């Protein structure tokens, strides 16, 4: 069974995924990490990005300047659509290969764009980590040291909260402490094991 895990920026997806992996040994595939792999030096996607945006999009050592690219594409919806069209199929292939290697009872696909990219179609269930938008803004601004305006632009590009929740089979509410989030993850893990055994709790 493949389970998708998503949530807006600053919602706590990584904290939830870490709990599944470290406490329960679940194989986690992180779509964000795969998005980095496909633009590594020597990969065709990086060449295509440089052709479109110029050498200024590279750092001195020849790797992608991700903040600069993010700033360009979130200011221009047409550029963002072009980039997604280039990267999403490559990322999907990386994800499928990694999921195929899982040996845990179920695997977790963690993606901020699970709904928007259509990656949810790879999964049997979807978990949404849900927080109010004002918490997303505060967490992300303080964590990444970026302006609130840029965080809002990223949030606009992601699925809206109600759209994500419409796709949810399970919701983790992450307004409280890390311990409270862990308790919810632990309960979901037991539920999934029961589902896999054909016993619904």
């Amino acid at each position: 069974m493949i389970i998708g895990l998503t949530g807006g920026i600053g919602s706590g997806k990584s904290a939830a995924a870490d709990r599944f992996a470290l406490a329960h040994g679940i194989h986690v595939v992180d779509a964000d990490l795969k998005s980095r792999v496909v633009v590594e030096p020597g990969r065709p996607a990086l060449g295509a990005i440089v052709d479109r945006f110029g050498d200024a999009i590279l750092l001195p050592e020849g790797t992608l300047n991700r903040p600069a690219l993010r700033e360009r594409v979130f200011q221009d919806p047409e550029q963002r659509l072009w980039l997604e069209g280039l990267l999403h199929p490559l990322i999907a292939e990386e994800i499928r290969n990694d999921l195929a290697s899982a040996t845990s009872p179920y695997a977790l696909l963690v993606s901020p764009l699970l709904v928007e990219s259509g990656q949810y179609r790879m999964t049997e269930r979807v978990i949404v980590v849900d927080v109010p938008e004002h918490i997303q803004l505060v967490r992300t601004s303080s964590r990444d040291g970026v302006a609130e305006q840029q965080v809002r632009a990223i949030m606009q590009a992601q699925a809206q909260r109600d759209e994500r929740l419409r796709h949810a089979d399970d919701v983790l509410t992450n307004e409280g402490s890390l311990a409270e989030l862990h308790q919810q993850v632990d309960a979901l893990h037991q539920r999934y094991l029961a589902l896999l055994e054909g016993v619904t709790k």
Side-chain angles (χ1 to χ4, degrees), residues 33-174:
L33 292 179
K34 298 305 180 189
S35 73
R36 292 173 185 272
V37 168
V38 299
V39 294
E40 286 175 349
R43 293 281 189 124
L46 184 59
I49 291 168
V50 172
D51 287 346
R52 188 165 182 102
F53 296 103
D55 289 337
I57 212 75
L58 295 175
L59 293 168
E61 66 271 17
T63 57
L64 182 63
N65 185 336
R66 294 174 70 87
L69 180 63
R70 188 186 303 134
E71 198 172 320
R72 292 281 293 274
V73 300
F74 282 115
Q75 287 173 352
D76 186 340
E78 191 178 312
Q79 299 285 26
R80 182 168 61 81
L81 289 172
W82 175 85
L83 187 67
E84 289 172 355
L86 171 72
L87 297 182
H88 283 178
L90 301 172
I91 295 166
E93 185 181 355
E94 291 281 339
I95 288 169
R96 276 192 290 271
N97 291 341
D98 197 338
L99 287 170
S101 70
T103 56
S104 53
Y106 58 90
L108 206 63
L109 169 56
V110 182
S111 175
L113 300 176
L114 191 80
V115 173
E116 306 89 310
S117 66
Q119 290 167 349
Y120 70 90
R121 295 188 191 95
M122 298 184 192
T123 69
E124 279 93 334
R125 294 183 73 84
V126 171
I127 306 167
V128 170
V129 185
D130 185 52
V131 293
E133 290 183 359
H134 70 272
I135 293 181
Q136 288 181 262
L137 280 169
V138 171
R139 281 184 185 162
T140 307
S141 295
S142 60
R143 181 191 69 192
D144 297 347
V146 295
E148 187 177 304
Q149 187 180 353
Q150 191 176 344
V151 180
R152 285 188 186 280
I154 294 168
M155 287 168 65
Q156 284 299 318
Q158 295 182 341
Q160 296 305 295
R161 187 179 179 191
D162 57 350
E163 172 68 10
R164 268 195 300 272
L165 289 170
R166 264 201 299 277
H167 282 82
D169 297 293
D170 304 293
V171 177
L172 293 169
T173 305
N174 190 24

Side-chain angles (χ1 to χ4, degrees), residues 19-40:
R19 182 66 177 181
F20 277 106
L22 300 174
H24 305 294
I26 298 305
H27 185 98
V28 172
V29 178
D30 186 327
D32 262 356
L33 292 179
K34 298 305 180 189
S35 73
R36 292 173 185 272
V37 168
V38 299
V39 294
E40 286 175 349

